[in-house]
Amino acid sequence: MKVLHKVSDLKAELKAQRLANKSVGLVPTMGALHAGHASLVSRSLAENDVTVVSIFVNPTQFNDKNDLAKYPRTLENDCLLLENILNIFVDKELIAFAPTVEEVYPEPDTRQFSYPPTDEVMEGGFRPGHFNGVCQVVSKLFMMTEPDRAYFGEKDFQQIAVIRRMVEDQKFPLQICACPIVREEDGLALSSRNALLSPDERKIALNISQALFASQHYAKSHTLKETKQWVIDTINAVEGLEVQYYEIVDGNSLQSLNEWDDSDYVVGCITVFCGAIPVRLIDNIKYKSC
Ligand code: AMP
């Protein structure tokens, strides 16, 4: 596995691969890799000749400096995890691309991306500028890598919808591949932020996925509005958890729904603060899939 830090080295490497007619998959990450990321990397390795995994904590998508400062950074372990995956795909190539902030942003990125209403609700509402930062870094990674396919996790459900809009808007000639959420055995959605939870907070956090799963049954005999309120009340009743929002939305437009029958693709998206120094956890559940 090659570990590259410079955009020029990445471009040179990929140019050679392209000349040899190799297909390229891109997996953008912020590092602190876990089995959720590994599922994206494995899929890319299976579907492409060359996979680029970017490891970059992107400052422009953090609207909270403290959140950015405490985000885990574990490059050495990340490379070990990637080497282990590559061992299963012996005939494939894997490049870890871990640039510095100066390398990605030699000058401030003043581009504005706006995809209303998809980027205005939920995460867009509570984290102003977040999706603009995501689009800035993802579009830069697309331009550096020119991948055939790019892989994103449904854990960040809204992010995929926004990126699909950006790909359409900027006419990037690539395919967006959405990968299902990977969970711990007990149901907690894997997240780099889980490393910030104390053992007690980790136990408490489990109530989030449990409430979401239980709500799939509750939904069968209750209205959408009752189900939404039930999830919020059930989680808020747990000491140490505080729901920031829970919205039941159309899975394509991300707009809130009033009735189950308003869409064929219905997804509940939640953000919860967990613990004394709150860790912000997100999760989602499908009530109807298309
Ligand atoms: P991050 O490093 O958190 O920015 O995540 C990088 C990519 O991995 C994003 O596309 C995430 O949606 C995806 N991802 C993170 N956690 C999971 C998970 N538990 N299951 C599936 N994909 C995930």
Side-chain angles (χ1 to χ4, degrees), residues 129-140:
H130 169 67
F131 285 125
N132 194 52
V134 168
C135 288
Q136 286 178 340
V137 75
V138 172
S139 63
K140 275 180 179 270

Side-chain angles (χ1 to χ4, degrees), residues 17-153:
Q17 301 285 4
R18 288 243 170 257
L19 284 173
N21 251 332
K22 301 277 174 79
S23 59
V24 177
L26 170 68
V27 183
T29 83
M30 297 205 296
L33 301 183
H34 51 63
H37 300 108
S39 72
L40 274 56
V41 177
S42 298
R43 185 161 160 207
S44 177
L45 282 166
E47 294 179 356
N48 302 280
D49 300 311
V50 183
T51 290
V52 177
V53 179
S54 61
I55 297 173
F56 178 63
V57 183
N58 173 38
T60 72
Q61 71 187 69
F62 285 81
N63 55 331
D64 175 350
K65 284 207 175 87
N66 196 31
D67 194 20
L68 172 63
K70 71 181 184 185
Y71 200 87
R73 290 160 170 89
T74 59
L75 183 60
E76 233 175 87
N77 281 343
D78 292 347
C79 289
L80 288 176
L81 180 140
L82 293 176
E83 293 275 12
N84 281 335
I85 304 173
L86 186 58
N87 284 338
I88 309 167
F89 296 87
V90 282
D91 55 336
K92 298 297 178 83
E93 293 207 36
L94 185 52
I95 300 168
F97 177 53
T100 59
V101 173
E102 293 70 31
E103 191 67 18
V104 176
Y105 298 107
E107 52 215 47
D109 193 339
T110 53
R111 293 173 302 157
Q112 290 292 324
F113 297 85
S114 174
Y115 301 113
T118 316
D119 65 349
E120 292 174 335
V121 295
M122 301 193 289
E123 292 299 285
F126 285 99
R127 300 179 74 186
H130 169 67
F131 285 125
N132 194 52
V134 168
C135 288
Q136 286 178 340
V137 75
V138 172
S139 63
K140 275 180 179 270
L141 290 168
F142 284 173
M143 288 187 277
M144 292 168 192
T145 313
E146 298 183 36
D148 299 281
R149 301 177 191 85
Y151 296 81
F152 295 89

Side-chain angles (χ1 to χ4, degrees), residues 28-31 34 36-37 39-40 61 71 151-156 159 179-183 189-192:
T29 83
M30 297 205 296
H34 51 63
H37 300 108
S39 72
L40 274 56
Q61 71 187 69
Y71 200 87
Y151 296 81
F152 295 89
E154 287 188 338
K155 159 111 184 328
D156 298 276
Q159 175 172 278
C179 306
I181 300 181
V182 177
R183 298 180 179 278
L190 286 175
S191 165
S192 306

